[in-house]
Amino acid sequence: MKKILITGASRGIGRAAAILCASRGWAVGVNYVGNEAAALETVAAVQEAGGRGLAIKGDVACERDVIAMFDRAADAFGGLDGVVVNAGIVAPASKLADMAEARLRHIFEVNILGAYLCAREAARRLPLDRGGQGGSIVLISSVASRTGSPFEYVDYAGSKGAVDSLALGLGKELAGQGVRVNAVRPGVIETDIHASGGEPGRAQRIGLTVPIGRAGQPQEIAEAIVWLLSDASSYMTGSLLDLAGGR
Ligand code: NAP
């Protein structure tokens, strides 16, 4: 049985990954920041799918919260073998010229600082030379890191560029210590993130322009995440895996 912590697992891609992990019988820490009802729904779905679920509140951009969420999951499960650094946000579509400093700070704090703090915490616990058992870290980036998301979210796109770099560098740092690090780069996926950016129908609209002809489903990203967590991907590290329907 693997012991996994997923940030931002109350909804969307994180929730789908939690449920798929559970279907393998794995234990899953379900982190969320504010939506407790959604987190508890995910935990119920995890348990129904055959895994063990634990809801853990915490803001990934807050170091104290990140340390506490790792402690909580590791104490409950008896250690951790896998971490999915998934929590991420967008703000309403805008040109860079019109973005306020507060917005830029918030996006970078959650998407960059949050990802780095969570990956750092994993890098302090999983490696063999730090007393861990090895494992897998999966970072959730985006195809935005290579499209740049002009006129919508160049801030978000840049934050995902940082996540790509983290996968490339940390993958090499930990390769000799039994820990693999990879990033998944989804294209447009049907989740709540588009409504939080002010356009609930964005995934369907963009989906029509994707070569495959539609937006993706969270479960289609979860398949890759679980594969990267599993021993089936044992020779893959420091890589970026695009799941974007040909985009
Ligand atoms: P979503 O449906 O909006 O869910 C966001 C999740 O992140 C929720 O569980 C939310 O918790 C949590 N969260 C937000 N801020 C947090 C914070 N500061 N600390 C801890 N948790 C926090 O998002 P999604 O579409 O599944 O996106 C998941 C990841 O995939 C993100 O990194 C996103 O950038 C990436 N991605 C998404 C798409 C897409 O089209 N959907 C495409 C490419 C990449 P609460 O429920 O408590 O608010």
Side-chain angles (χ1 to χ4, degrees):
M1 182 196 70
K2 287 197 186 290
K3 296 159 281 193
I4 310 294
L5 173 62
I6 305 179
T7 68
S10 46
R11 295 183 283 128
I13 292 169
R15 171 186 280 188
I19 295 169
L20 198 60
C21 286
S23 72
R24 299 205 168 196
W26 298 349
V28 191
V30 173
N31 161 250
Y32 67 103
V33 68
N35 195 336
E36 186 177 24
L40 294 177
E41 265 178 48
T42 303
V43 167
V46 160
Q47 266 143 215
E48 202 171 314
R52 182 168 165 214
L54 176 69
I56 309 175
K57 183 171 181 165
D59 181 350
V60 295
C62 167
E63 181 180 43
R64 197 182 48 222
D65 283 11
V66 171
I67 292 169
M69 82 171 78
F70 273 77
D71 282 345
R72 180 102 189 281
D75 288 351
F77 301 153
L80 284 172
D81 319 288
V83 176
V84 183
V85 178
N86 167 73
I89 57 168
V90 296
S94 170
K95 293 181 190 169
L96 177 62
D98 300 320
M99 290 181 191
E101 185 201 9
R103 168 202 170 118
L104 293 170
R105 276 192 194 281
H106 188 49
I107 293 289
F108 296 154
E109 276 185 9
V110 174
N111 292 2
I112 303 181
L113 181 63
Y116 275 69
L117 286 174
C118 292
R120 186 197 69 179
E121 210 46 42
R124 287 179 169 176
R125 296 170 189 246
L126 272 52
L128 302 175
D129 64 353
R130 297 211 175 224
Q133 303 292 310
S136 172
I137 302 171
V138 182
L139 308 173
I140 310 305
S141 176
S142 168
V143 292
S145 71
R146 59 173 167 74
T147 67
S149 298
F151 308 106
E152 284 194 303
Y153 324 112
V154 293
D155 51 349
Y156 171 84
S159 73
K160 294 303 186 179
V163 172
D164 287 358
S165 298
L166 177 59
L168 300 175
L170 191 61
K172 293 182 180 74
E173 278 191 15
L174 301 183
Q177 295 304 328
V179 180
R180 297 180 297 104
V181 186
N182 295 287
V184 167
R185 299 197 297 189
V188 65
I189 309 301
E190 285 188 31
T191 72
D192 296 346
I193 204 170
H194 309 289
S196 65
E199 190 188 344
R202 180 175 177 272
Q204 291 83 350
R205 176 175 63 80
I206 309 257
L208 297 174
T209 70
V210 174
I212 213 167
R214 62 174 176 83
Q217 294 300 316
Q219 295 77 5
E220 295 178 288
I221 308 306
E223 291 286 349
I225 294 170
V226 169
W227 179 70
L228 287 170
L229 289 170
S230 79
D231 303 336
S233 59
S234 52
Y235 200 58
M236 184 152 172
T237 198
S239 293
L240 312 176
L241 181 60
D242 286 11
L243 294 129
R247 236 171 129 204

